[in-house]
Amino acid sequence: MDSLSQIVLGGAIAAAIAPAGHRRAALLAGAALGTLPDLDALVLAFTATDPVAVMTEHRSYSHSLLVLPWVAALIWWGFKRFGNGRVAQSPVRWFWAIQLALVTHPVLDAFTVYGTQLWWPFTPPPTMWSSVFIIDPLYTVWLLLACIVAWFARARPLAQRALVAGLLLSTGYLGWSLLAKHQVEREADRALAAMGLGNAPRFSVATPFNTVLWQVVAMTPSGYVIGERSVIADKGPMTFRGYPSNVQALRQAAEIPAVARLNWFNRGFMRAQVVDGQLQLSDLRMGLEPDYTFTFAVAKQQGDGWGAITPQQLRPAYEGDEGRERAKRRFGTLWQRMWHQAPANEGP
């Protein structure tokens, strides 16, 4: 999730658990702890060898549920032993405040589609529950309001009530997102089975800034299909539109390290294109057809096969003034689509 969401989640959790007299200190400590795991981006800026490494090593060791509890315990011990006395005054409550403010960061990240390596150093595919977009105001606003109230109310009962309410409402919103996702996937399963794609690898993801309009992508032998579903507006079967991918080139280049790494990281949800003799891979999980946030050139043609190159990340279509205008138009279309079913002759 975005940094603001992580800051207010960490702050709200720590302030709800720590003693009321330590409210402001807990808000600040929780905000810092909620930010801490994402500082791996600063490390990767100096250690990652290429853009594919940056993408696939982010949310790894710093987001592991096998690492963070130990980090939290060490932070707790350090403040208990050398701090200004607050942790020593209430060690048990501060222990859980620090633990949960830190550990909830990767759990929240796992609700997005990017992928979070919750079990690093083990290497199952990254967890991606993909039920909320990376920025969702309806998740964040309750926590932000709760933290503001708690900051000014301090030790008064109003602060605790606001924090508990904010945490309940934001958690309830995540629960709603999972329910909406289940409804969309149920309709997608029916439609894909009718198309002969009942066993096709697929994923569903909320479109930007909402949990009303969803996108479902399924892989096919020649590419992939995409369907949309508004849980408010749409009735009847889902419809899908097909798109090509150079699956032969992707298969031939599968052993190239960058290709294999991306295939593990995004579970094979990639579009492959050959442009000017280069193999370009786009992550289908993030973006809207035909514009995807992460596209990498990973190999070049060598006779009938492919040779590895140093991966290069291509500029996203939404960068620059023209790109931002294009993004605004796309978001306007999405907003209308949330509330209105697509005409039958147009599909998604």
Side-chain angles (χ1 to χ4, degrees):
M1 292 290 284
D2 63 285
S3 296
L4 177 59
S5 296
Q6 296 289 10
I7 286 171
V8 293
L9 174 62
I13 287 175
I17 297 174
H22 300 169
R23 191 85 70 199
R24 284 190 171 179
L27 284 166
L28 295 174
L33 291 166
T35 303
L36 184 62
D38 280 342
L39 296 183
D40 68 336
L42 298 179
V43 177
L44 290 171
F46 296 97
T47 62
T49 56
D50 57 68
V52 169
V54 171
M55 181 181 187
T56 60
E57 292 174 20
H58 179 45
R59 296 193 187 179
S60 57
Y61 60 88
S62 69
H63 287 60
S64 173
L65 296 181
L66 303 179
V67 173
L68 289 180
W70 298 99
V71 174
L74 181 61
I75 292 172
W76 171 81
W77 176 84
F79 276 96
K80 182 173 179 289
R81 179 71 175 81
F82 303 106
N84 60 11
R86 291 192 185 92
V87 175
Q89 291 171 25
S90 186
V92 174
R93 295 183 72 167
W94 270 105
F95 176 84
W96 288 111
I98 293 170
Q99 281 283 345
L100 292 178
L102 191 58
V103 169
T104 51
H105 178 118
V107 174
L108 180 59
D109 275 347
F111 279 88
T112 69
V113 76
Y114 185 95
T116 307
Q117 298 174 51
L118 295 179
W119 310 115
W120 186 94
F122 301 105
T123 57
T127 303
M128 52 170 216
W129 297 323
S130 61
S131 68
V132 290
F133 188 64
I134 191 171
I135 300 173
D136 194 320
L138 285 180
Y139 172 79
T140 309
V141 64
W142 314 113
L143 295 170
L144 178 60
L145 290 173
C147 288
I148 292 172
V149 171
W151 180 265
F152 289 102
R154 295 195 178 190
R156 297 198 294 274
L158 173 62
Q160 186 71 5
R161 289 197 294 268
L163 291 166
V164 171
L167 289 166
L168 288 175
L169 286 168
S170 61
T171 303
Y173 184 74
L174 292 179
W176 148 253
S177 74
L178 293 173
L179 176 61
K181 180 181 177 72
H182 173 73
Q183 293 174 350
V184 169
E185 290 185 342
R186 181 179 58 192
E187 295 300 327
D189 289 346
R190 292 172 181 169
L192 291 169
M195 298 166 59
L197 296 172
N199 295 321
R202 71 199 63 172
F203 71 93
S204 63
V205 61
T207 57
F209 313 125
N210 77 97
T211 51
V212 172
L213 181 62
W214 294 73
Q215 181 171 270
V216 178
V217 178
M219 308 307 292
T220 70
S222 60
Y224 53 98
V225 295
I226 298 178
E228 292 175 356
R229 187 78 176 181
S230 167
V231 296
I232 291 177
D234 288 357
K235 309 295 180 184
M238 281 187 69
T239 56
F240 286 81
R241 181 176 298 159
Y243 299 92
S245 177
N246 198 326
V247 295
Q248 180 180 0
L250 181 58
R251 192 178 303 115
Q252 291 173 339
E255 299 303 318
I256 290 176
V259 178
R261 181 72 177 176
L262 286 171
N263 188 60
W264 163 78
F265 185 74
N266 61 35
R267 305 177 185 232
F269 294 117
M270 293 185 288
R271 177 185 67 187
Q273 296 176 307
V274 177
V275 180
D276 297 329
Q278 286 189 331
L279 178 61
Q280 298 180 0
L281 301 181
S282 299
D283 193 321
L284 295 173
R285 302 171 306 156
M286 288 166 279
L288 298 169
E289 185 68 30
D291 304 314
Y292 292 98
T293 306
F294 294 100
T295 297
F296 304 95
V298 294
K300 64 179 179 180
Q301 286 180 320
Q302 292 182 346
D304 295 332
W306 294 91
I309 63 173
T310 300
Q312 301 172 2
Q313 184 172 359
L314 305 184
R315 180 181 177 182
Y318 293 132
E319 285 190 359
D321 293 339
E322 183 178 343
R324 283 190 288 271
E325 287 301 317
R326 185 176 181 180
K328 289 179 182 178
R329 292 193 296 270
R330 293 294 295 271
F331 290 144
T333 301
L334 286 177
W335 177 259
Q336 293 299 319
R337 181 65 182 85
M338 286 169 58
W339 314 109
H340 303 285
Q341 186 166 357
N345 62 337
E346 291 185 11

